[in-house]
Amino acid sequence: MPMQIVNRFTPEAARQLRGAIEEAFGNEVLVAGRLDGQRCVTAITIGARGTTRAVPALKPYLEGGDVVIHNHPSGVLEPSEADFQIASRLGSEGIGFYIVDNAVERIYVVAEPVTVKELSKLDSEQLAGHLAPSGALSRIYPGYEARDAQVQMLRFVCEAFNSDSLSIAEAGTGVGKSLAYLIPAFQWVLSNEERVVVSTATINLQQQLVDRDIPLVSRIIGRDPGYMLVKGRGNYLCLTRVREALEEGSLFEEEDEELKAIHSWSATTRTGSRSELPFYPSDELWARVCSEADTCHGLRCSSREGCFVLKARREAAACRVLVANHHLLFSDLALRLSGMGFDSAAVLPPFQRIIFDEAHNVEKNATSYFSESFTRGQILKYAGRLYREKKGRRSGLLFALEKVFGRREEIPELRRLLGALSDKTALLEASAAQLIGQQSTFRLRASDPDPRLSDLLLEPLTDLAVTITDLQARFSRVIEGCPEDEQDSYLVFESKLQMRRLGRVADVCQQFLRYGENREEIYWLESRKSSRGESYVRFVITPLDVSSLMREAVYKPYPTVVFTSATLTVDRRFDYWKNRLGLSSLADRSTYEAVFPSPFDYEQRVFLGVPKEAPEPEAEEFPGFLTQFIREALLISEGRALVLFTSYALLDSTFAGIQPALAEAGLPLMRQGQEERSRLLDRFRETTDSVLFATDSFWEGIDAPGKALEVVILTRLPFRVPTDPIMEARAEALANPFWELALPDAIIRLRQGFGRLMRRQDDYGAVLILDPRIVRKSYGRYFLDSLPKTRTAISSNQGVLQAFEDFLVSLRTK
């Protein structure tokens, strides 16, 4: 109901608004209003003249607790449908909406503003006291030694929260960055009832945070705001899907012991998490029974009360600190960008601040999440769920539909189309493999298209998309023929799901066909090998640049974002990393940055050796040199080594050449791919004289403190392959790609590899870099300058090996 203006406006604000309406000749105006302590409009800012469509023009003047004021020249103050819609959108941001008459005498309050709570600032000195020699941490651990860099980083993070800033902190190994950001984060959420997400790249760090660091911070602070490791829904069992999978099996009289075991476990598990299963089910089976967004029945689900995903989400909503991985966080942010907004639950409950740990991986993870892809295997999997024949036995959803609902004249045609789909997918993959040839990838270039592209890729893609479209049309007629009361049945729902998934493949095909029209995406093919050693092709569309996504999803909506890692700088500057994530070009937000050096004594406890006589990596002699040098180094060190490569081919040849000598010496030799990553690393840590050969992903995220790892050998400077489609496309967008992209990327990767050695203060060991370009090329000094000061030998091959042996003997005998 309209009320008198004196109850809502100060006289001066009412006079200003009346003047604005008169200046507009009595037409509609929109103003932003600021409220005083008595909830009266005390100041206005004229934003636009016109209808409520002009509200976006007011956004720069508005924040939570303000109001938008709009006049109705007719004098009829009842809100229109458009008024209600704009009030709803503003209300989600805590902004109110008022309607007044032209005389500014009467007012209709459509939506009240949400009064913004005064945030409680962090007392950085008080929090730093927890880490002082006589502070809370020293009382928990009597032998604790305060670290100045950790205290300084804590103060830096406090300021990030207090000033609503984007802050970047490089924290060397041993600084204790987890406590430096967790203590301020805990105090902030306890004082202000907000929620903080801590996002990491690796499972190891997530487990460390949840199992060790966060419980410790709870003891330090003396209060627990509630915390949780949040997992993607694919980690949870879906009760409906496991039951329906059993019913489908019984329909075809099929027995599946693993499926029955999962069903039995579902009755006793509290969480439904795959990690808690007493056995490890096959990926294919788990994909049939896990929770997935596009398989969820939502409110119509008969198992909703026992839903493990809903249970996990309710637990997450009760927590103020959430630990997630970068990929899961980006899946949440993508939903928010697509229309869910930043104030409601998406994948995660709403949150207000973000801490990115292992932030050097943010660009890679954002690139991965926002890429689209498909493979022949995925298509066959979706089609196989619809219909399959094995040893003359027919099964699948279409066959089940026919058995339950009777014969349909479209079914034979659907089976024919599914057969054609399999044939066309095989043809597409074979053609794509021809384009890739002996390389591992192939990129579609709009500026210089391959003359074979039309015949070998575009035509097969068109045929595949048309076949899927025909399949969808025929399938729709089958579903329309099913009884109305069966439209929500499992068989119909699951069949629709597989068709939607095939539809998404067709969408990617269509995007490939228009590759020349979109210069913001990278279109490429990749040849891979399955776990069984079979080659297959992956069709991928990747964003050229993620900075705009980061700006809209992270920098704009979140007041505090902290980025931290041990490796963010190149030549002690953050420029490269900031440019890659769009932080350098932000006009409306300030960024703060700081480097907190490692407290470890690298000069006394680490040896760096570079054999300057080594052949160039492209020389024919290089593989032979590697085999001989690494063999001698490992016999000197008696194992205890991690040997890192940049290619599997070089790893294979070196491994084969060294294995006999190490076997004779009784030194266990392991290699990436022998077994699952975590089990391989556990075995490496437990066998203290072992040697692990690995590539790419093992350059980071490995933590093997103590005697298990005393030597890290870096076989080559870790430049990306110049033909890598993503690096190549991004390089083409730069004026000087080597200095702006290739070199800084390799320096950060080298720093990660180097960082595998020292994990604790009492660790010691050697890093051997066998690529002579680090001392022969002008850019080599940037690599060396990026590393801590160590005992260094840049000498002949034998000179380095002798200095290496002397160093190890001196440290081991202390």
Side-chain angles (χ1 to χ4, degrees):
M1 291 290 292
M3 62 181 71
Q4 294 301 307
I5 206 78
V6 293
N7 298 320
R8 293 285 179 162
F9 277 68
T10 63
E12 177 59 21
R15 187 190 64 77
Q16 290 177 5
L17 180 55
R18 196 177 299 116
I21 293 171
E22 288 173 359
E23 287 180 7
F25 303 105
N27 293 313
E28 294 178 84
V29 298
L30 283 165
V31 302
R34 183 65 45 87
L35 274 60
D36 61 16
Q38 282 69 49
R39 298 180 66 80
C40 275
V41 176
T42 186
I44 66 168
T45 301
I46 301 165
R49 293 177 172 84
T51 67
T52 49
R53 287 194 296 270
V55 163
L58 289 170
K59 281 301 180 76
Y61 311 108
L62 293 167
E63 58 185 44
D66 290 343
V67 294
V68 168
I69 306 158
H70 175 50
N71 64 308
H72 278 192
S74 66
V76 178
L77 301 192
E78 279 70 20
S80 65
E81 185 61 33
D83 290 329
F84 278 124
Q85 289 176 3
I86 198 69
S88 175
R89 289 207 301 274
L90 293 169
S92 68
E93 300 177 39
I95 299 167
F97 188 56
Y98 297 170
I99 300 173
V100 299
D101 62 355
N102 275 16
V104 193
E105 294 174 348
R106 294 178 303 130
I107 182 172
Y108 190 111
V109 178
V110 183
E112 292 280 12
V114 176
T115 303
V116 178
K117 179 186 173 184
E118 189 72 28
L119 294 174
S120 176
K121 303 278 187 179
L122 296 176
D123 184 337
S124 60
E125 292 308 310
Q126 182 260 327
L127 294 178
H130 292 312
L131 302 178
S134 58
L137 190 54
S138 68
R139 291 192 291 275
I140 296 170
Y141 294 120
Y144 164 75
E145 293 182 7
R147 286 168 274 187
D148 181 63
Q150 185 181 48
V151 173
Q152 294 305 319
M153 181 175 170
L154 179 145
R155 291 193 176 104
F156 180 77
V157 175
C158 284
E159 183 57 27
F161 278 92
N162 287 340
S163 62
D164 291 349
S165 66
L166 303 174
S167 297
I168 311 163
E170 180 176 276
T173 307
V175 164
K177 59 182 166 60
S178 300
L179 295 191
Y181 64 67
L182 284 172
I183 290 173
F186 262 51
Q187 190 59 57
W188 182 269
V189 300
L190 287 166
S191 300
N192 296 298
E193 297 182 353
E194 290 192 341
R195 183 175 287 110
V196 172
V197 170
V198 179
S199 182
T200 80
T202 62
I203 293 172
N204 286 347
L205 181 54
Q206 291 164 36
Q207 292 298 152
Q208 175 192 312
L209 290 172
V210 172
D211 296 341
R212 189 186 74 188
D213 295 341
I214 290 178
L216 176 59
V217 172
S218 292
R219 293 177 66 190
I220 291 170
I221 298 288
R223 293 171 64 193
D224 181 0
Y227 61 90
M228 181 178 176
L229 173 59
V230 187
K231 303 175 183 178
R233 69 187 303 151
N235 289 279
Y236 294 99
L237 183 71
C238 173
L239 294 171
T240 297
R241 294 191 81 200
V242 72
R243 186 186 69 246
E244 291 169 342
L246 279 170
E247 291 171 356
E248 183 185 348
S250 65
L251 188 65
F252 297 113
E253 300 176 357
E254 294 175 344
E255 290 289 327
D256 189 324
E257 293 305 318
E258 267 198 351
L259 179 59
K260 290 166 70 175
I262 290 175
H263 182 253
S264 298
W265 170 76
S266 71
T268 59
T269 175
R270 189 187 72 82
T271 67
S273 173
R274 183 181 187 177
S275 62
E276 294 186 9
L277 263 170
F279 61 93
Y280 201 81
S282 69
D283 291 342
E284 182 181 2
L285 175 59
W286 186 254
R288 288 179 58 195
V289 298
C290 70
S291 177
E292 295 179 314
D294 58 1
T295 66
C296 182
H297 292 265
L299 294 172
R300 296 177 293 123
C301 181
S302 59
S303 305
R304 186 174 175 80
E305 288 302 310
C307 177
F308 295 118
V309 171
L310 284 181
K311 183 177 182 181
R313 287 186 172 179
R314 283 193 292 268
E315 291 175 0
C319 296
R320 293 291 178 183
V321 176
L322 302 178
V323 178
N325 63 43
H326 295 338
H327 195 273
L328 182 67
L329 176 59
F330 282 121
S331 69
D332 176 273
L333 296 173
L335 282 175
R336 297 184 187 283
L337 280 178
S338 68
M340 293 192 72
F342 291 85
D343 296 306
S344 58
V347 174
L348 303 173
F351 51 93
Q352 292 72 40
R353 320 269 161 166
I354 306 175
I355 297 170
F356 284 100
D357 202 340
E358 299 177 314
H360 61 280
N361 274 316
V362 168
E363 183 189 21
K364 181 176 77 174
N365 288 115
T367 297
S368 172
Y369 180 78
F370 289 102
S371 293
E372 297 179 87
S373 68
F374 72 84
T375 65
R376 178 177 176 235
Q378 288 174 320
I379 295 172
L380 296 181
K381 174 185 163 185
Y382 304 151
R385 288 286 293 129
L386 290 166
Y387 182 80
R388 58 191 178 274
E389 286 189 29
K390 188 175 182 181
K391 296 179 180 179
R393 185 185 182 90
R394 295 187 301 163
S395 59
L397 294 162
L398 291 181
F399 184 54
L401 283 171
E402 196 171 27
K403 282 187 73 172
V404 173
F405 303 126
R407 291 190 60 82
R408 294 282 187 275
E409 62 181 28
E410 293 89 353
I411 296 286
E413 178 60 15
L414 279 172
R415 289 203 294 265
R416 187 195 67 77
L417 284 170
L418 286 168
L421 179 67
S422 177
D423 294 341
K424 291 179 186 299
T425 305
L427 176 63
L428 172 63
E429 182 169 72
S431 298
Q434 287 186 56
L435 278 174
I436 295 171
Q438 296 302 309
Q439 306 300 314
S440 59
T441 60
F442 175 87
R443 179 173 150 237
L444 283 69
R445 292 175 174 81
S447 58
D448 184 22
D450 190 298
R452 303 169 297 161
L453 204 57
S454 179
D455 290 341
L456 292 181
L457 187 65
L458 301 185
E459 286 185 17
L461 279 169
T462 302
D463 288 346
L464 180 61
V466 168
T467 301
I468 292 175
T469 302
D470 289 348
L471 194 60
Q472 288 176 308
R474 293 273 182 179
F475 175 76
S476 295
R477 289 199 283 274
V478 170
I479 295 304
E480 287 167 6
C482 292
E484 190 172 338
D485 59 352
E486 295 290 345
Q487 291 293 319
D488 291 332
S489 70
Y490 162 70
L491 290 176
V492 172
F493 183 87
E494 191 76 9
S495 299
K496 286 180 177 178
L497 168 65
Q498 304 309 322
M499 293 307 304
R500 283 198 303 272
R501 289 173 170 173
L502 286 172
R504 287 199 289 270
V505 171
D507 289 341
V508 175
C509 291
Q510 294 291 350
Q511 290 181 63
F512 260 94
L513 297 175
R514 299 190 296 271
Y515 78 96
E517 302 171 16
N518 186 357
R519 301 302 175 90
E520 299 303 313
E521 306 283 350
I522 306 164
Y523 299 82
W524 55 291
L525 315 176
E526 178 185 28
S527 178
R528 284 188 170 188
K529 285 193 179 297
S530 69
S531 57
R532 296 192 295 270
E534 299 169 349
S535 295
Y536 68 95
V537 175
R538 186 167 164 255
F539 300 77
V540 195
I541 304 173
T542 295
L544 178 64
D545 180 21
V546 299
S547 60
S548 60
L549 292 167
M550 291 295 294
R551 188 161 46 249
E552 296 302 318
V554 178
Y555 310 146
K556 281 188 176 180
Y558 293 103
T560 296
V561 184
V562 176
F563 297 96
T564 186
S565 168
T567 55
L568 293 176
T569 62
V570 174
D571 197 22
R572 296 173 176 79
R573 297 170 64 89
F574 290 93
D575 297 4
Y576 163 71
W577 185 84
K578 287 169 63 178
N579 286 337
R580 297 309 311 158
L581 289 184
L583 283 162
S584 299
S585 58
L586 283 181
D588 53 348
R589 294 204 63 178
S590 299
T591 59
Y592 300 92
E593 55 198 52
V595 175
F596 303 97
S598 169
F600 292 167
D601 187 4
Y602 286 91
E603 274 196 272
Q604 297 301 315
R605 303 188 70 82
V606 175
F607 170 85
L608 174 64
V610 181
K612 64 181 182 181
E613 295 175 347
E616 292 285 325
E618 302 306 323
E620 288 183 14
E621 302 85 2
F622 188 69
F625 156 76
L626 277 188
T627 299
Q628 180 179 342
F629 191 95
I630 293 173
R631 179 172 55 236
E632 292 184 45
L634 295 178
L635 292 174
I636 289 171
S637 69
E638 299 174 342
R640 309 179 189 184
L642 173 66
V643 187
L644 293 171
F645 294 81
T646 58
S647 77
Y648 285 102
L650 195 55
L651 185 155
D652 289 340
S653 64
T654 311
F655 186 92
I658 287 174
Q659 191 173 28
L662 264 62
E664 185 178 339
L667 299 176
L669 183 56
M670 309 171 190
R671 57 162 296 159
Q672 181 180 353
Q674 277 181 337
E675 56 187 302
E676 190 268 329
R677 177 187 166 106
S678 62
R679 287 196 292 270
L680 180 65
L681 287 174
D682 287 343
R683 191 156 62 90
F684 174 64
R685 294 186 192 100
E686 292 162 4
T687 314
T688 55
D689 58 350
S690 63
V691 178
L692 174 59
F693 277 38
T695 185
D696 201 34
S697 63
F698 282 70
W699 283 69
E700 61 179 276
I702 293 179
D703 199 356
K707 292 189 176 182
L709 181 56
E710 292 183 357
V711 182
V712 173
I713 300 177
L714 308 178
T715 54
R716 288 186 62 155
L717 296 179
F719 287 105
R720 307 268 182 193
V721 179
T723 54
D724 174 272
I726 299 174
M727 286 291 286
E728 186 181 54
R730 289 175 174 171
E732 289 172 3
L734 299 171
N736 196 332
F738 179 78
W739 293 96
E740 293 179 59
L741 181 61
L743 179 63
D745 176 76
I747 289 172
I748 285 180
R749 293 183 73 203
L750 181 90
R751 294 183 65 199
Q752 280 290 324
F754 182 95
R756 296 314 94 212
L757 181 67
M758 290 285 286
R759 308 307 297 169
R760 297 189 312 211
Q761 194 144 1
D762 58 351
D763 282 347
Y764 65 86
V767 177
L768 304 175
I769 301 177
L770 308 188
D771 188 333
R773 291 176 297 177
I774 199 167
V775 291
R776 291 180 190 163
K777 300 292 185 181
S778 60
Y779 58 74
R781 70 175 185 85
Y782 293 102
F783 285 99
L784 291 172
D785 289 349
S786 73
L787 301 176
K789 288 186 177 180
T790 63
R791 294 193 192 183
T792 303
I794 299 173
S795 181
S796 65
N797 298 350
Q798 289 306 310
V800 168
L801 287 170
Q802 185 61 57
F804 167 61
E805 182 174 13
D806 293 345
F807 174 82
L808 288 181
V809 169
S810 68
L811 266 291
R812 286 175 177 175
T813 54
K814 281 188 179 180

